[in-house]
Amino acid sequence: QVQLVESGGGLVQAGGSLRLSCADTGRTFTYAMGWFRQAPGKEREFVAAISWSADDLSYADSVKGRFTISRDNAKNTVFLQMNSLKPEDTAVYYCAAKGRAPLTGTYDYWGQGTQVTVSS
């Protein structure tokens, strides 16, 4: 059973960096792993996703060039390196996973979320 546990959130100044991690403690195969975020008063939105072999990547336009998603399959972990952070990146970030292609569409498993706050 997939069990996703996020870590790495926190408070950072604008222009700074954070690295989020998400471990699948259930140690099951997941084709796609992704990150989503939800800011106060807004709907949850897609941030980035990566396939099992990392040959398929997808980013939201708002984070392209600033965020990088990667995964370590030996550790069943996905990472989100966030650079040049902006106040508008402030949100609860959720890790998600699904067992089949494509990277888009509905994700089946979700973590509990980790708060990222970017101060101006």
Side-chain angles (χ1 to χ4, degrees):
Q1 182 178 354
V2 177
Q3 296 177 330
L4 304 176
V5 179
E6 301 107 329
S7 61
L11 173 64
V12 65
Q13 289 187 333
S17 298
L18 281 176
R19 189 190 195 208
L20 304 183
S21 299
C22 173
D24 173 12
T25 59
R27 299 189 177 279
T28 53
F29 170 79
T30 52
Y31 171 79
M33 296 189 77
W35 291 94
F36 293 73
R37 67 187 181 186
Q38 187 167 20
K42 296 187 177 181
E43 293 188 353
R44 186 171 60 195
E45 65 176 2
F46 170 79
V47 176
I50 185 169
S51 63
W52 172 263
S53 59
D55 60 351
D56 192 9
L57 302 173
S58 182
Y59 293 95
D61 288 342
S62 59
V63 306
K64 281 181 180 177
R66 300 188 299 122
F67 291 11
T68 302
I69 190 170
S70 61
R71 66 189 292 172
D72 182 341
N73 291 333
K75 297 181 179 180
N76 292 81
T77 301
V78 64
F79 305 97
L80 186 68
Q81 178 66 43
M82 305 186 293
N83 299 328
S84 302
L85 283 161
K86 305 175 181 180
E88 50 264 43
D89 294 317
T90 296
V92 177
Y93 283 70
Y94 296 92
C95 176
K98 59 191 302 192
R100 60 185 64 187
L103 294 182
T104 55
T106 301
Y107 278 68
D108 302 309
Y109 307 98
W110 293 86
Q112 81 285 354
T114 185
Q115 177 70 47
V116 171
T117 303
V118 184
S119 62
S120 58

